[in-house]
Amino acid sequence: MERAAAAAGPAVEGGGVNRRAVRAASAAAGAGSRQPSTEALDSPTGSHVEWCKQLIAATISSQISGSVPSEGMSRDYRVYRRPVIREIQDGHNGYHSEAEPDQVALRDGNKLAQMEEAPLFPGESIKVIAKDVMYICPFMGAVSGTLTVTDFRMYIKSVERDPPFVVDVPLGVISRVEKIGVQSHGDNSCGIEIVCKDMRNLRLAYKQEEQNRLEIFENLVTRAFPVSNGLPLFAFSYKEKFAVNGWKVYDPIVEYKRQGLPNESWKISKINSTYELCDTYPAILVVPTSVKDDDLSKVAAFRAKGRVPVLSWIHPESQATITRCSQPSVGPNDKRCKEDEKYLQTIMDANAQSHKLIIFDARQNSVADTNKAKGGGYESESAYPNAELVFLEIHNIHVMRESLRKLKEIVYPTIDETRWLSNVDSTHWLEYIRMLLAGAVRIADKIESGKTSVVVHCSDGWDRTAQLTALAMLMLDSYYRTIKGFEVLIEKEWISFGHRFAMRVGHGDDDHADADRSPIFLQFIDCVWQMTKQFPAAFEFNELFLITILDHLYSCLFGTFLCNCEKERLKEEVSTKTVSLWSYINSQLDEFTNPFYVNYENHVLYPVASLNHLELWVNYYVRWNPRMRPQVPIHQNLKELLAIRTELQKKVEDLQREAATRSISSSSDRGSSPSHSATPVHTSV
């Protein structure tokens, strides 16, 4: 069947039954045609949904400039309002609290303070309550209210405004807390600056006697960085129950079976069941059938961190594969390993469609040479004669961290409108997003059009490698573009294969200057968002889904992104002692569903990896600025469209049944006539 040309550059040849390459420009124009173009509070967990939506707008729920009519503010607040999620009981508004007696007295004796307290999640407890704390808002000036610090959040509420002003910050998003001097705020002489991981900073001012009595700064630091203070992350205390068990979303055996594995060339191996082969890999791996365990152990000894080449994805027709690994330990003396060379030859031989293997090294060539001098390196074409080595020239984690720091400087708290485009360009953030997308397109095209197997690695195989394999798989396999499939993709390529979430994010750790921190997973989600913009009907999930994932990357409310690898999660009993993010999401799928979704089954997506087609994700990076927020609540509109689509789909199904009934009735009236046949009705909304 014919196939459209790829928009991103590589030529796409014919072949492949029922698989089509879709250009980015075609997604908006002809989603319904399926042809490639040339160019909730009522739910059981509705309270949590509202909280997540408030997290998206948190400090700006009422931070609208004075020129906005109060009527508009009230309407917007109702959309983002966070309800109390527990019943009133025990005379303390239902809060299980470990607050000091004087804080309890403050609640009981001060009606205003009671109104300004924080609603709590199951398992959450109050540590500090301080009244008359001033939040120094960069958009509307100082706001006085009650500060509540729990073991999960910092919550400020002022009922002096209508609607009430709320700042709700999960402690997990805090990167550092510093004391600052405060002037011209009356008796509030103590100040704190809070630097967050989600593109905002907060400033508070309060009275010296409150600091002396409550030790606000010390309590905030202790609770914001529990790991550094010998305390557990809040995810281990969170007790909310959901209708769906998110820990059952990903089963590696089921996912590999979906891909048609095992087969005659590939087997499912449990050689790493005790994590002895590689302590950062999952227990279950897919490796070539003919490879013996002894040889696999020798390959592991030759690859950095023991991360041997293992299968991530296999093409359903050509059997071309994406395999991932770490760099070989070639070193300055060009060390060789015959088992590793034979192993890659076996991977190539497993695909009868091609007599070549493409090795995509994500690194810059110069950096790979530096790594080689230190004992690492890359595959030489003399040692691997049937392999072609391609460097994708993607920068390292330190460059990405610095790029995000520059981006934060230009988006918060003020934006220079006159230099906006040049300022964004100077951060190089979109250029790095472009490089990732371009690399993934090259990988996907080699698999789909070239019918050639590929090996992907960087240095250790858990940062850029995960970005590239996951993005390429998203382009190649429509299953991963569903909500469930995308969850499986994250669980598989990121979580089980050992992306170091704890190290890159710094969960509960006060070392904000740690050189191992880097926005690697954020970049991946940004790339996915860019794809949803180019193919707005190809993804089952909406923007809120992606933002919710990023918010809980930092929040430490769920166990999904904790620890650095599968072995650590097993040791910490994460799946039994914490709640999965997918439990929450899958309990209210309507909140995260794209109403324009059309299942592009067996279609390959080639996004345009050009700066002309990329844009800054304003709804994420600049969401804390009220002047950049849409005046109309987009999420609510999408929910209404989803309801309309459901209603129309039901009408279509009713009409189909009616047409089928009439057809049967008509056929029986005519008897058995060879000149008439019923044609089924095929309609899609």
Side-chain angles (χ1 to χ4, degrees):
M1 192 169 289
E2 64 187 26
R3 195 186 314 272
V12 185
E13 301 168 3
V17 179
N18 293 327
R19 288 181 63 84
R20 299 181 179 179
V22 182
R23 297 171 57 120
S26 72
S33 70
R34 306 290 294 276
Q35 296 294 327
S37 168
T38 54
E39 264 297 289
L41 284 175
D42 293 330
S43 66
T45 51
S47 61
H48 200 150
V49 174
E50 289 301 311
W51 175 78
C52 265
K53 285 187 288 186
Q54 182 188 342
L55 202 61
I56 292 172
T59 62
I60 57 176
S61 62
S62 61
Q63 295 174 17
I64 310 294
S65 61
S67 61
V68 179
S70 59
E71 177 186 353
M73 286 197 295
S74 298
R75 180 174 65 252
D76 189 70
Y77 180 73
R78 283 195 292 273
V79 173
Y80 290 101
R81 178 175 59 85
R82 176 179 176 178
V84 176
I85 66 170
R86 300 188 66 190
E87 297 292 333
I88 296 177
Q89 56 183 325
D90 300 332
H92 294 305
N93 205 27
Y95 301 151
H96 167 66
S97 172
E98 297 177 6
E100 296 298 322
D102 58 344
Q103 295 163 19
V104 175
L106 168 66
R107 293 205 307 264
D108 292 343
N110 187 328
K111 195 68 178 175
L112 179 64
Q114 289 183 31
M115 293 171 63
E116 292 182 341
E117 274 190 15
L120 302 180
F121 285 138
E124 185 179 3
S125 58
I126 295 173
K127 303 305 175 185
V128 170
I129 300 176
K131 61 180 180 178
D132 299 327
V133 172
M134 195 165 286
Y135 168 58
I136 306 170
C137 175
F139 308 110
M140 57 183 294
V143 181
S144 182
T146 298
L147 167 69
T148 304
V149 178
T150 74
D151 48 359
F152 170 66
R153 84 187 75 214
M154 182 191 80
Y155 184 89
I156 302 169
K157 185 175 182 180
S158 172
V159 296
E160 295 175 358
R161 296 174 180 266
D162 184 23
F165 179 90
V166 172
V167 179
D168 190 352
V169 183
L171 298 178
V173 310
I174 295 177
S175 177
R176 85 176 175 270
V177 183
E178 295 179 350
K179 290 182 179 179
I180 58 172
V182 179
Q183 291 88 29
S184 68
H185 286 290
D187 296 333
N188 296 307
S189 59
C190 293
I192 295 178
E193 179 166 28
I194 300 165
V195 179
C196 298
K197 301 169 185 174
D198 62 355
M199 309 299 286
R200 57 178 160 165
N201 294 345
L202 309 170
R203 288 193 173 194
L204 308 179
Y206 50 90
K207 298 174 183 176
Q208 181 63 49
E209 60 258 33
E210 290 289 289
Q211 168 62 25
N212 295 340
R213 186 170 63 90
L214 300 173
E215 296 185 332
I216 294 172
F217 176 81
E218 290 75 13
N219 267 287
L220 187 57
V221 169
T222 299
R223 298 298 166 180
F225 309 116
V227 173
S228 297
N229 290 280
L231 297 172
L233 293 165
F234 179 71
F236 291 94
S237 302
Y238 179 49
K239 304 302 180 186
E240 190 157 356
K241 303 295 183 183
F242 294 95
V244 179
N245 183 358
W247 294 120
K248 294 183 178 180
V249 161
Y250 176 60
D251 180 329
I253 300 294
V254 171
E255 167 56 14
Y256 288 126
K257 184 178 180 181
R258 184 191 70 84
Q259 295 187 32
L261 299 166
N263 60 25
E264 61 181 12
S265 300
W266 296 90
K267 66 181 178 182
I268 294 176
S269 171
K270 296 185 178 179
I271 186 176
N272 201 41
S273 59
T274 58
Y275 306 104
E276 291 182 4
L277 180 75
C278 175
D279 61 1
T280 60
Y281 261 5
I284 294 174
L285 304 171
V286 174
V287 298
T289 304
S290 61
V291 174
K292 298 177 181 178
D293 287 355
D294 287 346
D295 290 340
L296 202 57
S297 297
K298 292 175 182 177
V299 174
F302 185 64
R303 292 278 167 175
K305 306 292 192 297
R307 295 173 68 89
V308 301
V310 292
L311 183 144
S312 282
W313 190 80
I314 185 168
H315 195 285
E317 295 153 14
S318 69
Q319 302 297 292
T321 57
I322 298 176
T323 54
R324 59 180 296 171
C325 59
S326 61
Q327 66 179 335
S329 302
V330 176
N333 297 322
D334 291 318
K335 179 182 173 184
R336 294 178 63 169
C337 173
K338 64 179 183 180
E339 289 81 11
D340 190 81
E341 293 165 17
K342 182 181 177 183
Y343 188 90
L344 291 195
Q345 179 67 36
T346 304
I347 291 174
M348 188 201 74
D349 292 341
N351 171 20
Q353 301 268 2
S354 175
H355 299 291
K356 200 172 189 180
L357 182 70
I358 309 295
I359 301 172
F360 285 101
D361 191 324
R363 299 169 295 180
Q364 295 172 288
N365 196 337
S366 58
V367 173
D369 284 331
T370 302
N371 290 154
K372 184 179 178 183
K374 296 177 180 178
Y378 47 88
E379 298 83 355
S380 67
E381 294 184 10
S382 59
Y384 302 84
N386 294 315
E388 176 186 342
L389 181 65
V390 177
F391 288 101
L392 295 177
E393 303 294 326
I394 299 171
H395 296 267
N396 62 29
I397 63 170
H398 312 295
V399 173
M400 303 309 182
R401 181 178 62 249
E402 178 63 13
S403 178
L404 184 65
R405 184 194 66 77
K406 290 178 180 178
L407 182 60
K408 182 175 179 179
E409 282 184 353
I410 70 166
V411 302
Y412 192 92
T414 59
I415 292 174
D416 184 349
E417 298 286 356
T418 61
R419 296 183 177 85
W420 171 246
L421 294 177
S422 60
N423 283 345
V424 171
D425 184 60
S426 69
T427 69
H428 301 294
W429 183 258
L430 288 179
E431 171 61 17
Y432 299 144
I433 296 297
R434 184 201 67 77
M435 294 177 75
L436 285 171
L437 283 171
V441 166
R442 292 180 71 177
I443 292 168
D445 188 60
K446 282 296 180 186
I447 293 285
E448 178 66 22
S449 305
K451 299 179 175 57
T452 303
S453 293
V454 304
V455 174
V456 184
H457 70 71
C458 47
S459 296
D460 294 318
W462 52 46
D463 289 318
R464 287 163 287 191
T465 299
Q467 290 174 323
L468 292 165
T469 58
L471 287 171
M473 290 160 67
L474 195 66
M475 295 171 191
L476 289 162
D477 194 333
S478 61
Y479 171 69
Y480 297 126
R481 303 193 285 267
T482 66
I483 292 176
K484 167 75 181 298
F486 192 74
E487 293 168 353
V488 167
L489 182 66
I490 290 175
E491 287 282 348
K492 180 179 180 297
E493 289 302 294
W494 289 90
I495 296 171
S496 77
F497 273 102
H499 174 66
R500 302 173 77 78
F501 280 104
M503 187 173 288
R504 296 291 180 253
V505 176
H507 292 137
D509 190 341
D510 62 4
D511 186 7
H512 62 86
D514 187 349
D516 283 320
R517 294 195 186 181
S518 190
I520 300 300
F521 186 72
L522 167 60
Q523 284 186 314
F524 164 69
I525 296 294
D526 193 328
C527 288
V528 175
W529 179 81
Q530 301 288 347
M531 289 181 65
T532 67
K533 293 294 286 183
Q534 295 191 27
F535 301 95
F539 294 84
E540 187 184 21
F541 47 82
N542 59 22
E543 184 181 57
L544 179 62
F545 176 75
L546 297 177
I547 294 177
T548 299
I549 289 173
L550 287 178
D551 283 335
H552 290 300
L553 170 69
Y554 304 123
S555 74
C556 297
L557 184 64
F558 300 103
T560 302
F561 298 117
L562 302 187
C563 305
N564 291 311
C565 60
E566 187 175 285
K567 181 182 179 182
E568 285 185 18
R569 290 182 193 92
L570 198 64
K571 180 182 177 183
E572 298 296 327
E573 302 177 81
V574 169
S575 64
T576 56
K577 292 184 176 180
T578 72
V579 179
S580 168
L581 171 59
W582 317 130
S583 298
Y584 157 56
I585 286 178
N586 295 343
S587 294
Q588 54 270 318
L589 289 174
D590 283 357
E591 294 289 333
F592 306 104
T593 299
N594 172 17
F596 306 110
Y597 172 62
V598 176
N599 185 1
Y600 282 82
E601 188 174 4
N602 296 326
H603 283 63
V604 177
L605 305 185
Y606 288 118
V608 180
S610 163
L611 287 176
N612 293 334
H613 288 76
L614 303 180
E615 58 184 280
L616 186 69
W617 189 5
V618 170
N619 283 353
Y620 179 75
Y621 298 112
V622 202
R623 58 183 164 152
W624 309 118
N625 188 327
R627 297 174 184 88
M628 299 293 286
R629 191 156 48 111
Q631 294 184 13
V632 179
I634 296 173
H635 179 71
Q636 187 63 32
N637 289 352
L638 291 178
K639 284 188 67 178
E640 291 168 2
L641 286 172
L642 191 62
I644 292 171
R645 189 180 86 161
T646 302
E647 183 180 346
L648 290 174
Q649 189 68 54
K650 185 177 182 301
K651 289 181 179 179
V652 168
E653 291 168 359
D654 291 342
L655 289 171
Q656 286 176 331
R657 282 193 294 270
E658 183 181 341
T661 302
R662 288 182 178 180
S663 176
I664 293 172
S665 175
S666 176
S667 297
S668 61
D669 289 343
R670 288 193 304 267
S672 56
S673 172
S675 60
H676 294 86
S677 62
T679 303
V681 179
H682 296 285
T683 311
S684 63
V685 177

